Amino acid sequence: MLPNIMSNVSAEFIAVLTVIIVLIYIFFELYRIRKVKEKVLDILRFVTSKKKFYIWLCVGILIVLWQLYLIHYLAGISYWDPGIIEMTAARKRVWVVGYFSTNPNNILILLIEHAIWVIFNRPSVYLFSKILSVVNLFAVDSSLIIIIYLLKKLLKRKKTIFFSSICFTCLIVLPAWILIPYTDTFGLFMTCISVLFIYKAYISDKKNIWIVFNVVTFCVSYFFKPSLVITYVAALLILITTGLSNIRYKKDFKVSQLLLTVIVLIVSFGCIKFTINNQKFIKVDNSKSEPLTHFVAMGMIRSGGYHLPDVQMDARISNPQKRNQANIKLIKKRLTDFGSPFNYEKFLIRKQINNTADGTFAWGVDGIFLKPYSSNNKKLNDTFARKMFSKNGVAAPNDYEYMFLVQFVWIIVLFMCLMCVTNSSWIVQLLKYGIVGFFIFLLIFEGGRSRYVIQFLSLIILLSGIGFEKFIDILNTKSSNTGVN
């Protein structure tokens, strides 16, 4: 068994281990020198006094090193939407003709990725994949930092922050989702930014600047992934249901703030719309874009997810109005096919299960999800990263180690969310409205995959953190009532 293990150890690992051993040896040799000894002790005292900071710093460094390790061994091309966007951004020919004409909602992410490609001096596709993965790494890790910041402001227990950090890290930071630079993980970052800016606007005396940030974020979110504006819809509902009846709010409300909101909204929306409509990077035929009814119809068949026959039907209809009418007819037919409202309700329940049940967020499910470079290299395929997240050189669902861990964490997270049912604070209401709004969106439109949960995972993690604190309070209350110390 030992020879098999040693055969999988890379030369890089042996080199790093050798350097570490040499450094330890040098350290102890220097420690033996009396003049250096006192200096070392002073440094150790300082480190001990800042113990927690340095522990978290080391943990953060280890996480980033793990992520870079995944990027090194798993970077590749996705043969679905992320890969199409990435290849087009690098001016490479793709396997789907007219993709951005039928999916104009992905033009903004295309322009962003193309800008990154230009900034990094037009690298090869191989290097560009790794660059985008590092950008994705930044988005995911920044989301974790924002979540920690918000929980520190909202909650009193450090163990709650630790719980939420561990859950978020297990679910999205440590897995290989950073290898999929798409609107799911970037949407996660946008949702975190939205919640942060809404919170800042609520507590800050300088509301005008946060109004500007919120409106700009709203516009970017809409063009980036329309469902992301649900967080702001939730905030607006809270404002309508509680804010307008609040005496303090009426005193603080200024017409100038409403005017500022409208002006920034018009300017931001107009600028982004103008940029997308007048870009010269790719040719877009707006008459070929999929109508909303297409995604509604798609969400009503099989698991409620992607359905190729629907796409093929729309591709055969050149007239936009007739295409929309065909989808409306399809929606009516599928509603009729359910036979009764009860059957449709059963379908929605199954679809909701599909939307939320998988803690891996359907890693490796969609098509050729991710094909790492040198996918036929047996030595690379035997590395830990590829064994964990791929099979035979192609990303695939993991039925054992990875899935067991994240599924266990995911169940705990969902359970802790239930602890917030009776909590009526504004931030909990924002999170609950937002989560319910996203779930309703996925029930109405294309869903059927837990992958779509990633875009609002931050809302779920924040709510579960607040629920965990409530859970601890319940346990402490029971312990004090029974006399347990």
Side-chain angles (χ1 to χ4, degrees):
M1 182 177 178
L2 184 60
N4 290 335
I5 295 174
M6 292 303 295
S7 64
N8 291 330
V9 177
S10 65
E12 293 90 343
F13 176 80
I14 294 173
V16 171
L17 184 62
T18 304
V19 171
I20 292 173
I21 293 172
V22 171
L23 288 174
I24 292 173
Y25 174 78
I26 293 173
F27 175 83
F28 280 106
E29 283 298 306
L30 289 172
Y31 187 80
R32 291 171 59 188
I33 303 173
R34 193 166 185 81
K35 290 182 180 180
V36 179
K37 183 176 180 179
E38 288 302 320
K39 189 67 177 176
V40 171
L41 288 174
D42 289 340
I43 294 172
L44 288 175
R45 290 188 194 101
F46 175 77
V47 170
T48 304
S49 65
K50 305 288 185 180
K51 183 171 63 176
K52 289 184 179 179
F53 169 78
Y54 283 100
I55 288 173
W56 285 113
L57 180 63
C58 290
V59 170
I61 291 172
L62 288 174
I63 288 173
V64 172
L65 288 175
W66 165 257
Q67 291 173 314
L68 293 175
Y69 164 78
L70 291 181
I71 291 172
H72 178 69
Y73 284 106
L74 281 172
I77 292 294
S78 300
Y79 287 86
W80 53 296
D81 300 65
I84 295 170
I85 297 168
E86 179 183 330
M87 295 291 283
T88 305
R91 293 190 179 278
K92 301 297 181 182
R93 186 171 296 178
V94 295
W95 51 94
V96 179
V97 178
Y99 172 83
F100 293 98
S101 294
T102 56
N103 299 274
N105 54 301
N106 283 331
I107 292 177
L108 182 57
I109 187 174
L110 169 68
L111 296 178
I112 292 171
E113 290 191 9
H114 179 64
I116 294 171
W117 183 70
V118 172
I119 290 170
F120 283 90
N121 197 27
R122 296 171 170 80
S124 64
V125 173
Y126 172 80
L127 182 57
F128 186 47
S129 298
K130 295 193 173 187
I131 291 170
L132 288 181
S133 295
V134 172
V135 173
N136 209 11
L137 179 157
F138 173 80
V140 171
D141 291 1
S142 297
S143 300
L144 173 60
I145 293 170
I146 292 171
I147 288 172
I148 292 172
Y149 171 81
L150 287 170
L151 288 173
K152 285 182 70 175
K153 295 293 182 181
L154 296 169
L155 302 175
K156 56 187 178 182
R157 288 190 179 91
K158 291 182 179 179
K159 63 177 67 175
T160 304
I161 302 170
F162 179 75
F163 164 80
S164 298
S165 302
I166 291 295
C167 290
F168 187 81
T169 300
C170 290
L171 290 171
I172 200 73
V173 176
L174 294 181
W177 279 102
I178 55 171
L179 277 300
I180 309 294
Y182 191 43
T183 52
D184 299 311
T185 47
F186 293 148
L188 166 67
F189 175 69
M190 294 299 297
T191 301
C192 283
I193 290 292
S194 299
V195 177
L196 175 64
F197 287 171
I198 291 169
Y199 171 77
K200 285 290 188 179
Y202 182 84
I203 65 168
S204 177
D205 293 329
K206 300 177 180 178
K207 294 192 182 297
N208 288 349
I209 185 66
W210 294 111
I211 286 173
V212 172
F213 286 159
N214 273 295
V215 174
V216 172
T217 304
F218 171 86
C219 293
V220 174
S221 299
Y222 174 78
F223 285 102
F224 197 80
K225 192 177 183 75
S227 58
L228 296 178
V229 303
I230 290 173
T231 307
Y232 283 103
V233 173
L236 182 61
L237 286 174
I238 294 172
L239 185 66
I240 293 171
T241 56
T242 62
L244 295 179
S245 61
N246 188 287
I247 296 175
R248 180 181 177 275
Y249 175 80
K250 288 178 180 178
K251 289 181 179 179
D252 292 344
F253 178 77
K254 296 177 181 178
V255 176
S256 60
Q257 292 176 350
L258 179 60
L259 186 62
L260 176 64
T261 301
V262 173
I263 292 172
V264 177
L265 180 64
I266 293 172
V267 172
S268 300
F269 194 91
C271 288
I272 299 172
K273 185 72 173 175
F274 179 83
T275 301
I276 291 174
N277 289 344
N278 292 276
Q279 57 84 24
K280 305 298 182 185
F281 179 55
I282 53 166
K283 292 182 180 180
V284 176
D285 185 353
N286 292 321
S287 67
K288 294 182 179 180
S289 64
E290 302 284 12
L292 279 177
T293 49
H294 162 80
F295 299 100
V296 175
M298 189 181 288
M300 298 173 67
I301 190 73
R302 293 185 180 177
S303 65
Y306 181 81
H307 191 53
L308 182 59
D310 286 9
V311 177
Q312 293 171 336
M313 181 196 77
D314 281 9
R316 291 192 295 268
I317 305 172
S318 58
N319 185 284
Q321 287 76 30
K322 290 182 179 179
R323 189 184 308 127
N324 187 50
Q325 290 170 3
N327 280 286
I328 293 173
K329 185 178 179 181
L330 192 59
I331 292 169
K332 292 178 179 178
K333 179 182 181 301
R334 287 175 180 171
L335 279 173
T336 304
D337 290 343
F338 283 115
S340 69
F342 179 70
N343 288 333
Y344 183 54
E345 288 173 6
K346 287 199 301 183
F347 168 78
L348 290 178
I349 291 171
R350 288 197 303 270
K351 186 177 179 183
Q352 177 65 9
I353 292 171
N354 291 331
N355 289 341
T356 58
D358 188 358
T360 70
F361 306 125
W363 170 265
V365 172
D366 290 308
I368 302 178
F369 194 77
L370 175 68
K371 189 174 183 179
Y373 296 113
S374 303
S375 58
N376 295 323
N377 188 310
K378 188 178 184 304
K379 184 178 179 181
L380 291 177
N381 289 341
D382 285 338
T383 58
F384 179 77
R386 293 199 180 183
K387 283 185 175 181
M388 181 66 74
F389 298 106
S390 67
K391 292 178 182 177
N392 301 318
V394 179
N398 179 297
D399 298 327
Y400 302 103
E401 312 88 356
Y402 165 50
M403 186 174 185
F404 175 81
L405 172 63
V406 295
Q407 198 66 32
F408 178 73
V409 173
W410 184 234
I411 291 170
I412 293 174
V413 166
L414 294 179
F415 175 76
M416 289 304 165
C417 287
L418 297 177
M419 296 290 105
C420 296
V421 170
T422 58
N423 192 322
S424 58
S425 65
W426 77 269
I427 187 67
V428 171
Q429 294 295 84
L430 172 69
L431 298 174
K432 287 195 287 190
Y433 287 3
I435 292 169
V436 171
F438 274 107
F439 281 150
I440 291 173
F441 183 92
L442 293 178
L443 287 175
I444 296 173
F445 298 99
E446 178 189 356
R449 293 274 192 276
S450 295
R451 174 173 65 82
Y452 296 106
V453 170
I454 293 175
Q455 61 185 307
F456 62 100
L457 179 62
S458 54
L459 303 183
I460 297 174
I461 292 294
L462 287 169
L463 189 65
S464 70
I466 297 171
F468 180 75
E469 182 145 294
K470 175 68 174 178
F471 182 71
I472 296 297
D473 287 338
I474 293 171
L475 291 180
N476 289 341
T477 302
K478 287 186 176 180
S479 296
S480 60
N481 289 339
T482 57
V484 177
N485 296 322

